[in-house]
Amino acid sequence: MTVIFVHGVPDTARLWDPLIATLGQGDYRALSLPGFGAASPAGFDSHMDSYAAWVITQIESAPGPVHLVGHDWGGLLSLRVAHLCPDLIASWAVLNASLYPDLKWHRLARLWQTRWKGELAMMLMRGARGRKLLRRAGMPEDLLQLEMPHINTQMKGAILRLYRSAVDIGPAWGGDLSGLSQRGMIIAADSDPFVPLRVCKTLAQNVAVPVHVNPGGHWAVFDQPGPFAARLRDHWAA
């Protein structure tokens, strides 16, 4: 069994370290998206479609079909890939992410999508100020220590390009999910300021898959991996 994990923003593959340790032995592959603690291929434009295509190439090079797990933006990419290439995916699981036709971005995303304001926000997300902002957003301290060194000019530029390519992601990617495999699962957090529980329930209802609610915030999978590991084991076994 091969499991591919896809992180979100502003994270790297280190997000998955505690979960993978909790899961124990297995073929677990945590991707680092281009520009997020990893170099970008030549000419890579950080567009949402380009990231989806990149994830597909990673899946194609792995023994498959694979179980795909995504958090935040990684969840959106996982939904897109599972919709485009169902034959490559044994199952999918989305953590702290949702997608449907009239999806509205959270406040910080809208700021990043605004010219000049997004650049200014990125300028402020550094040093002590940047750490304070991420703590306020709920990023666990241990994860903050791992990720902060990677939140550099490269990642900030990738974030802005990604979000600006995704202003209309609701109708573009969520307009028709009728072909999405029902071998899926959604895990939501009860205190996520970016992806409220109600939007996760909307996705679950639209694509007819179960939604499970765990306590915690947006990065609960990092500081409380036990419940996530249990949900995923049951999901893969089924």
Side-chain angles (χ1 to χ4, degrees), residues 153-210:
T153 300
Q154 173 184 258
M155 184 188 289
K156 292 174 182 179
I159 291 172
L160 293 181
R161 291 189 294 273
L162 173 59
Y163 273 92
R164 288 171 183 177
S165 74
V167 172
D168 296 319
I169 194 173
W173 280 13
D176 179 14
L177 292 175
S178 58
L180 185 65
S181 166
Q182 292 184 323
R183 300 187 302 273
M185 174 181 67
I186 300 164
I187 304 180
D190 61 6
S191 303
D192 189 334
F194 303 109
V195 188
L197 177 58
R198 58 178 173 77
V199 303
C200 294
K201 289 182 175 179
T202 297
L203 172 62
Q205 182 177 9
N206 288 350
V207 299
V209 300

Side-chain angles (χ1 to χ4, degrees), residues 112-156:
W112 287 341
Q113 288 167 341
T114 305
R115 297 287 180 183
W116 307 117
K117 289 184 179 179
E119 280 78 4
L120 178 58
M122 287 299 178
M123 288 178 61
L124 297 176
M125 198 166 73
R126 63 182 181 182
R129 184 188 294 270
R131 293 173 186 274
K132 184 177 181 180
L133 290 172
L134 291 173
R135 287 191 191 100
R136 282 183 178 177
M139 182 177 281
E141 189 65 31
D142 288 349
L143 181 59
L144 179 62
Q145 298 304 320
L146 292 173
E147 304 290 32
M148 197 66 194
H150 299 291
I151 304 177
N152 52 20
T153 300
Q154 173 184 258
M155 184 188 289
K156 292 174 182 179

Side-chain angles (χ1 to χ4, degrees), residues 59-60 64-66 81-91 179 181 183:
I59 294 172
E60 289 175 332
V66 306
V81 170
H83 181 249
L84 293 175
C85 305
D87 293 343
L88 295 178
I89 308 300
S91 76
S181 166
R183 300 187 302 273

